Amino acid sequence: MSVTPFQVHIPDSEVDLLQRKLELARFPTCPPREEWGEQNGVTMELMDETVKFWRTKYSWREEEARMNEMPQFKTPIDVVGFGTLDIHFVHSKTSEANAIPLLFLHGWPGSFLEVEKILPGLNKAGFDVVAPSLPGYGFSSYTSKAGFKHEHHAETMHKLMQRLGYQEYVVQGGDWGSFIARCIAILYPDNVKAMHVNMFGMPKPDFEKEPRYTEYEQARIQRVEWFLKEQFAYGLVQGSKPRTLGFAVHDSPVGMLAWMADKLLLWSDQYPWTPTELITWTLMHYFPGPTTGFIMYHENPLEDILHKGVGARNFVTVPTGLSVFPKELSVVPRSWAETKVNVVFWQEQVSGGHFAAYERPMELVDDLVKFYRSLWEA
């Protein structure tokens, strides 16, 4: 099967239509300084200022040009029971000898763009980096059939690495990518030499004796509880009504911006999001269409992946590293993780949130280089 070069280019007609929609955007009428809105930073002021910037100063073509500095490709991948998917990916090779192939997996509300800031450091350190758009995200196609689970994403990604000639490789994931990485490590242990994640979700084990938790770990447990109790409603909506919600935000760039900004602001660790960043992250879902990204939640309900999925039923024997960022949504204590994965590297960071590769790229690169190189060269 062929691998063909790819560059991002949204048709002029779509860009022009977007501009007309922004000009016609209708904002709600709210009392000044209302006190009843949710505390997520998505205020009338933020939305008004960001949309004004979008209308008058933002340039999608400049953003496209920046994206296209990364070498991108597409290739068809056959997935058993689901047909052929057209998979988009970044493939950036190192100039160093004895390269380590690294598969980088994003999640939602991210995209392949999350690799952008860590790419130079990883290439310099001797890594060939493959950063795909997951099926249904960005510029990768999606199946018309129901039942596309994390293990099918794992099959797709593994076959992509095989297509590129990497019989052995390492894998890194955050958000959905962390669950898919676990599936890859379980299903293809002879090929995956090491797995690293910056998010790790699992239910509390049944300990005979309760572990003693550090203050750092106690704060992480509280963060997970906050997320599940107060912030996961979006996941229930996307999981139960992916197509219905898709109609709403597919046609409304301002609606998509608000939905995205809520997550970007709340899930990061005081990261100074610029208007351009908020808009570009939004358009990475708006232009291709957000619905098939939402469907990930429908096909992989939280209860299922925590208690019934491949990652829940199996122990990861592949050497595993975790980088813990304090504002990540879900990283359990090490004593919990060790009941599910072969933990050989654990690094607790002093700052950073859910979007580690984007918020704290140097810290993540340092961890990845240290962890993977020690295992690859062993």
Side-chain angles (χ1 to χ4, degrees), residues 19-72:
Q19 187 65 29
R20 295 199 299 274
K21 285 180 177 289
L22 293 172
E23 296 294 342
L24 296 171
R26 188 170 70 102
F27 285 90
T29 302
C30 296
R33 299 179 182 84
E34 35 77 15
E35 298 177 354
W36 40 257
E38 53 268 50
Q39 301 302 307
N40 61 357
V42 186
T43 61
M44 275 295 299
E45 290 79 9
L46 175 83
M47 292 299 295
D48 184 56
E49 291 173 5
T50 305
V51 172
K52 284 180 179 176
F53 177 89
W54 201 347
R55 289 168 176 156
T56 60
K57 298 180 180 180
Y58 178 82
S59 172
W60 169 255
R61 294 302 181 208
E62 289 181 5
E63 292 295 283
E64 269 188 345
R66 196 193 77 251
M67 294 176 203
N68 288 330
E69 291 177 2
M70 295 185 288
Q72 298 169 64

Side-chain angles (χ1 to χ4, degrees), residues 91-103 118-130 166 169-172 194 364-377:
H91 188 195
S92 185
K93 294 186 176 183
T94 182
S95 59
E96 302 295 321
N98 303 314
I100 301 175
L102 189 161
L103 173 63
I118 64 174
L119 203 54
L122 289 173
N123 284 158
K124 184 177 180 181
F127 289 82
D128 283 354
V129 181
V130 179
Y166 299 124
Y169 57 93
V170 299
V171 60
Q172 200 285 329
L364 184 60
V365 167
D366 287 346
D367 284 356
L368 295 180
V369 172
K370 185 186 304 181
F371 169 59
Y372 287 135
R373 192 165 291 287
S374 66
L375 293 165
W376 193 266
E377 295 176 349

Side-chain angles (χ1 to χ4, degrees), residues 36 64 87 112 119 142 215 225 290-291 298 331 335 357:
W36 40 257
E64 269 188 345
I87 300 300
F112 79 97
L119 203 54
Y142 192 69
E215 289 187 9
E225 292 174 346
T291 304
H298 181 74
V331 176
S335 58

Side-chain angles (χ1 to χ4, degrees), residues 16 76 170 295:
D16 293 343
V170 299
I295 288 174

Side-chain angles (χ1 to χ4, degrees), residues 127-299:
F127 289 82
D128 283 354
V129 181
V130 179
S133 295
L134 294 175
Y137 287 76
F139 306 104
S140 288
S141 66
Y142 192 69
T143 179
S144 60
K145 297 182 179 181
F148 199 81
K149 304 289 188 180
H150 282 160
E151 52 263 42
H152 302 113
H153 285 270
E155 177 190 343
T156 308
M157 298 298 101
H158 174 68
K159 287 181 174 178
L160 171 62
M161 295 302 281
Q162 302 284 284
R163 173 73 48 80
L164 298 176
Y166 299 124
Q167 296 304 312
E168 293 184 330
Y169 57 93
V170 299
V171 60
Q172 200 285 329
D175 193 85
W176 284 131
S178 68
F179 290 102
I180 297 168
R182 286 163 68 179
C183 288
I184 295 174
I186 290 165
L187 296 172
Y188 309 102
D190 293 337
N191 305 94
V192 178
K193 294 199 67 173
M195 176 186 80
H196 181 280
V197 295
N198 54 278
M199 175 175 159
F200 195 86
M202 60 173 287
K204 182 180 178 181
D206 293 324
F207 291 111
E208 290 185 8
K209 183 179 179 181
E210 187 74 12
R212 297 184 64 179
Y213 303 121
T214 65
E215 289 187 9
Y216 192 96
E217 288 177 326
Q218 289 172 356
R220 303 292 67 70
I221 293 172
Q222 292 170 0
R223 177 76 169 171
V224 175
E225 292 174 346
W226 165 82
F227 173 66
L228 292 177
K229 291 179 181 178
E230 299 185 26
Q231 300 299 324
F232 194 65
Y234 84 95
L236 299 178
V237 174
Q238 293 183 176
S240 61
K241 306 290 183 182
R243 185 173 57 189
T244 304
L245 177 63
F247 281 122
V249 290
H250 185 99
D251 193 52
S252 174
V254 174
M256 191 76 230
L257 171 66
W259 196 246
M260 293 287 289
D262 170 75
K263 320 304 180 290
L264 300 181
L265 297 176
L266 278 177
W267 297 358
S268 54
D269 187 8
Q270 299 181 330
Y271 180 80
W273 295 96
T274 66
T276 292
E277 289 173 321
L278 291 176
I279 294 165
T280 298
W281 277 56
T282 296
L283 289 175
M284 289 307 300
H285 294 267
Y286 174 83
F287 273 141
T291 304
T292 49
F294 295 160
I295 288 174
M296 179 83 86
Y297 292 79
H298 181 74
E299 298 288 13

